[in-house]
Amino acid sequence: MIRLQQVNLNLGSKEIFKQADLTVHDGHKLALVGANGAGKSTLFKLLLGELALDQGNMSLPKNWRIAHMAQEVEASPQTALDYVLDGHKAFRNIQAQIKAAEQSQDDLALAHAHGEFEAVHGYEVPQLGKTMLAGLGFKTEQMDHPVSAFSGGWRMRLNLAQALIMPSDLLLLDEPTNHLDLDAALWLETFLQKYRGTLILISHDRDFIDSVSNGIIHLHLNLLNLYAGNYADFERRRAERLAQQQSMYEQQQEQIKHIESFITRFKAKASKAKQAQSRIKALERMEMISAAHIDSEFQFQFPNAEKYSDPLLSLNQADIGYNNNVHIAGVKLTLRPGDRIGLLGANGAGKSTLIKAIIKQIPLIKGEYFAGEYLSVGYFAQHQVDELDLSIAPMTHLMQLKPEASDQQVRNFLGGFGFHGDMAVETCESFSGGELARLALARVAWLKPNLLILDEPTNHLDLDMRHALTLALQNYEGAILVVSHDRHLLSNT
């Protein structure tokens, strides 16, 4: 069991936890949710022993084996499979013991090591590693490729497999689905449903949370609140709690007004001075109830275009690929205002290639391409987030696209994406991945396209922003083509 009691923790001048309590029972599977920067990854570092508390107590069983998903992996000549097998530390230790015993010709030590190897099912571990890699989308021949041959997203899959293969009592996963396609995410769901230890995961994917977890830890206002049930249950119960809190706040405000009115009227009268003083002390002792803030700071729109063509564009018998090598053949596709299309497929199936043909980044090898007179494409992709100019402010980003806009128009628009006050006019150099993704979305929406092409738009967005994005897409009148593994977004748009 994990127990945090009256925990305080500050990182520099920022208060993360204040008098926070949490109890996690063995075998529970919990999703840790909260706004970006609230302290979710900090809680993981506490549990891993990488941070010390400023005050309070934390306890977890001393003999617990803790597995967690690393957030970085360096380029290495080691094969993908060997890298994953390193996660099973007992397996690797016994392998080393066997090798040492063979070199020293110590038959007793060798027999003992082989006995331990049998105990950890050592002969099955390499096959388990291959099964995990296959489930996460690696082809058989890729398992022998060096780690250095893979892109960042695929290396994150290797980190995930390395965490999963370790026999553990506590598994900590930080955004495990961020770099997975839908098939890999479904495989991971099945694996975690069968996992027998205690699981705490950070995720912004509602459907993934609901399929894997049986409770929610909500990190809010420096406290850790535990809710039983799925994410929908959490939303309902939190709304009920906030409504009750708001009612109590309003009642208390009336009580405070009544007491203050009494004090004002009678503290100068000798006959009532004693009673007035007692009211002042009552006010000082009163525990202040904060007003409930349930509304998200994110409320934005994709402004509708002023003109539309019908159809917006069409492809007819199109062969698509590179250097006359056809990746997708005979494509027939028409996009019209109001269309809502989810583009799904395994990594490498050709989703990005199709998008590049639609936005004319690559020419068709064969076939017809028709673009409507008023076609205006708004394209969002993760590489655009990575290529944003960090030396300028969000306001400058938008003014460069539409110089005739007024400062107030730009500020109002950016406010819906969570860029308020100084944040709108300061450079982007300190922005998180989520903040940069929001800015890239704002740039797309700002130009009022009539065709939105969104390639994994929810990566790095927290649940509040995903909800706001879903609502914005529901109210958008143009056509939408979206690549996503977020099933809640897909089913609601």
Side-chain angles (χ1 to χ4, degrees), residues 1-3 22-26 28 30 64 198 200 217 226:
M1 183 167 72
I2 301 168
R3 178 168 287 169
L22 178 68
T23 300
V24 178
H25 293 282
D26 296 0
H28 274 200
L30 303 173
W64 260 18
T198 301
I200 303 178
I217 304 169
L226 184 61

Side-chain angles (χ1 to χ4, degrees), residues 185-201:
L186 290 170
W187 177 88
L188 179 61
E189 278 182 15
T190 303
F191 178 91
L192 295 177
Q193 286 163 358
K194 296 175 183 176
Y195 176 69
R196 294 183 179 180
T198 301
L199 169 69
I200 303 178
L201 68 96

Side-chain angles (χ1 to χ4, degrees), residues 299-303 398 402 407-419 439 441-448:
Q299 293 178 335
F300 70 94
Q301 294 180 328
F302 286 101
L398 266 57
K402 201 186 291 184
D407 284 4
Q408 195 57 51
Q409 285 176 317
V410 177
R411 277 188 177 277
N412 292 345
F413 191 81
L414 286 170
F417 290 81
F419 299 105
L439 177 57
L441 278 171
R443 283 169 55 91
V444 171
W446 180 237
L447 292 178
K448 297 184 179 180

Side-chain angles (χ1 to χ4, degrees), residues 8 78 89-90 104 129 139 176 226 269 336 361 415 430:
N8 286 4
Q78 193 176 22
K89 294 181 174 57
S104 63
K139 296 173 184 174
L226 184 61
K269 290 188 178 182
R336 307 181 68 175
Q361 277 191 3
S430 62

